[in-house]
Amino acid sequence: SGCTQNLLLEALDDLGEDNFKRFKNKLRAAPLEERYKAISWLQLEKGDPVDVSNLLISHYGERYGVEVTVQVLGDINQRDLAERLSRAERDPFQKEIRIFYEHFVSQHREQLIQQVMAVDGILDSLCGSVLDLEQIQSIRAERSSMEKMRKLYELVPKWDNDCKDRLYQALKEKHRPLVEELEGI
């Protein structure tokens, strides 16, 4: 979500030029959990704070991206900044669950469009709370379940987290095995 990216960007912006260079050097050698790969030096070296915060999220996802950043900030003696970032990340206004759901619905857009078959059931769950009748009818008018999902996804960027949560819950009810597979459970 934009929130996590902004937090990372603020932290990297606050470093100042020299410390930002040290941050990139340390990041290159940071010990990572097994399933993650290091960001290439080619990408890091020329990157500004915006690029590097993008790279952190695209390589490590939001939660682990913050974790790695906090760890590297600690390594270069920027403990105050590390503390501030981990506090902001735990802030009740940004419940981790919300970040995760939003992330799930947006992150797995393609797989969900291709694999969700029970679109009508999902539309029923979203009726009234997220979608109005007109939107539902226009989605139902599409021929295949893939086209219906694609049409549904055209609306998603305008939704707030509550709406995305509801889509996630509906997907979980109707397609639990698929959701669990995508979540890597």
Side-chain angles (χ1 to χ4, degrees), residues 157-169:
K158 300 186 195 66
W159 294 358
D160 63 10
N161 282 328
D162 284 335
C163 295
K164 289 176 184 172
D165 284 357
R166 286 182 185 179
L167 173 57
Y168 171 83
Q169 292 301 345

